[in-house]
Amino acid sequence: MSYPESKKFFDQAHKHIPGGVNSPARAFKGVGGTPLFIKRAKGAFMYDEDGNELVDYIASWGPMILGHAFPAVIEAVKKAAEDSTSFGAPTVLENRMAERVCGMVPGLDKVRMTNSGTEATMSSIRVARGYTGRDKIIKFEGCYHGHGDSFLIKAGSGALTLGHPSSPGVTAGTAKDTLTADYNRLDSVQRLLEENREEVAAVILEPVAGNMGCVPPTEGFLAGLRRLCDEHGALLIFDEVMSGFRIARGGAVERFGVQPDLMTYGKVIGAGMPVGAFGGSAEVMGVVAPDGPVYQAGTLSGNPVAMSAGLALLAELDENPSIYDELEQQAGSLQKELGKVFNSHGITVTDNRVGSMLGFFFCEGPVESFSDVSRTDTGFFARFFHGMLREGIYLPPSAFEAWFVSHCHDDEVIRKTVDAADRVLSTLNETGASR
Ligand code: KE4
């Protein structure tokens, strides 16, 4: 497999675009080499500018839960666009979106649309600060909540991949209000809450971490956070931008049965169009302008084309709950069969999965926290990544990202992936693989 067209376009891209990409996670910095320029995609496959067919495990970093170019989504976008692409005025589509998501997620009484996950999480902590009158937030090392200043402290995803988990440009004034705890370590949260009594507005986390690879919550972690937040008068925020509508119809709130005060969404809710959202109880959301004093806005928030796309996808998920069982089945099969292949080649690997998001770490397990994640062999991952790419299997280009299985990843696609891994690992074994 070769990529001359992608190389040409990547060189061209550097002329006017920082790093040649509009988002660093796409730049292949974690694995080296040239990012592929994608021309089109359908179902479980993407096709690059060199005509290569690729099994896609990035899924646009989450949205493509029913595969690329899901017909109902495409039709909805085409139809909506014919009536103009934005009005800057309320539409019935936004009413329907709010009804749909509040019907899918337990405890979601009111919801506000945004244009990205970052806007949703930024807004959620502003609401928490406005509601509680407190300034500080607690996040977790390795979790990524978008590129809002308050979150670029020991962040995951591209920030971690690039080796700058705490970004320059975030002022000391901002950084002092962000406290960082250890994922799956309740004692680290309790200590921060006790050291900052009555100063913490919220604890925000990915209820299933997907931005340091896939790291599920351990038994009792989420319930423990709920208890600690109640004891200390802090709000609990589930950042479900990645897990929302993916790991269950009602996301982590449904799957784990722990009720946060605020939830944030992105990715699946927009079906690949720019949509984020934040919401919670009517009580907490009552502070949001224009009902309340906490300002939050967006020219294109609730955009009719984006709402149409998201509604088409969510309706399919909401009205066919068996899809989640089928996603569980296919992702479980990939996890099991790949695990067998790694073991057959004597590769030390730890696999984590929740629903159709999963990840493999090339180190001893368990992998439950950022410090565990840091033990993964990123060099081996890079060699494995490029081997799989040459076989036509496109994994997320970083050891610190979750893989996504779509409803189009059928048995044939899974078999193709597993057989490719077997061939790649045979080659790697000759060049000194991770043990
Ligand atoms: P966006 O602003 O990128 O729409 O969402 C930010 C965000 C917030 N919260 C969680 C849990 C997220 O996973 C994200 C974005 N995820 C990354 C993928 N790991 C986006 C990929 C990228 O930055 O290009």
Side-chain angles (χ1 to χ4, degrees), residues 351-409:
D351 51 284
N352 285 343
R353 180 177 68 82
V354 178
S356 55
M357 55 190 281
L358 66 162
F360 295 85
F361 300 93
F362 295 113
C363 62
E364 292 286 352
V367 176
E368 298 174 345
S369 68
F370 179 72
S371 58
D372 292 341
V373 163
S374 303
R375 293 185 286 107
T376 194
D377 183 339
T378 53
F380 181 75
F381 175 82
R383 292 194 296 279
F384 180 66
F385 170 87
H386 281 290
M388 292 293 270
L389 198 59
R390 283 191 292 273
E391 292 277 343
I393 311 296
Y394 193 179
L395 306 177
S398 165
F400 306 119
E401 294 286 0
W403 303 13
F404 297 103
V405 169
S406 86
H407 201 233
C408 295
H409 285 69

Side-chain angles (χ1 to χ4, degrees), residues 16 27 36-37 45 51 94 122 137 210 220 251 274 282 295 312 356 386 391 393 404-405 414 426:
H16 298 300
L36 300 190
F37 278 61
F45 297 92
E94 292 159 89
M122 282 166 55
I137 63 162
Y295 197 69
S356 55
H386 281 290
E391 292 277 343
I393 311 296
F404 297 103
V405 169
I414 300 296
S426 301

Side-chain angles (χ1 to χ4, degrees), residues 23 25 116-118 144-146 157 206 211 239 241-242 267 401:
S23 194
S116 69
T118 292
Y144 178 74
H145 303 292
S157 186
E206 297 175 56
N211 288 287
D239 175 0
V241 167
M242 191 179 279
K267 300 179 192 283
E401 294 286 0

Side-chain angles (χ1 to χ4, degrees), residues 189-368:
V189 181
Q190 180 155 5
R191 178 174 49 75
L192 288 174
L193 285 167
E194 288 169 356
E195 289 171 356
N196 298 274
R197 249 181 219 291
E198 299 186 10
E199 293 184 76
V200 177
V203 175
I204 184 168
L205 78 157
E206 297 175 56
V208 177
N211 288 287
M212 48 174 150
C214 180
V215 179
T218 49
E219 187 62 37
F221 179 58
L222 298 179
L225 288 177
R226 178 69 275 172
R227 175 177 48 76
L228 285 171
C229 285
D230 291 342
E231 284 169 9
H232 289 268
L235 298 190
L236 178 59
I237 304 176
F238 277 7
D239 175 0
E240 294 226 57
V241 167
M242 191 179 279
S243 57
F245 313 111
R246 171 168 280 279
I247 62 171
R249 178 174 167 277
V253 182
E254 175 189 317
R255 191 167 180 124
F256 299 108
V258 172
Q259 186 63 56
D261 300 291
L262 286 166
M263 308 81 138
T264 60
Y265 298 99
K267 300 179 192 283
V268 171
I269 194 173
M273 295 294 281
V275 180
F278 65 98
S281 66
E283 155 79 14
V284 174
M285 291 295 283
V287 303
V288 179
D291 279 349
V294 177
Y295 197 69
Q296 191 282 339
T299 302
L300 299 176
S301 298
N303 171 275
V305 180
M307 292 294 100
S308 298
L311 276 167
L313 185 59
L314 290 177
E316 189 72 18
L317 294 169
D318 193 12
E319 292 157 22
N320 302 280
S322 64
I323 288 173
Y324 291 103
D325 300 329
E326 291 148 14
L327 285 165
E328 197 79 35
Q329 166 68 32
Q330 292 308 99
S333 166
L334 177 69
Q335 177 187 23
K336 183 170 164 241
E337 294 307 315
L338 269 185
K340 282 185 199 167
V341 167
F342 283 127
N343 291 335
S344 71
H345 287 274
I347 305 297
T348 304
V349 66
T350 300
D351 51 284
N352 285 343
R353 180 177 68 82
V354 178
S356 55
M357 55 190 281
L358 66 162
F360 295 85
F361 300 93
F362 295 113
C363 62
E364 292 286 352
V367 176
E368 298 174 345

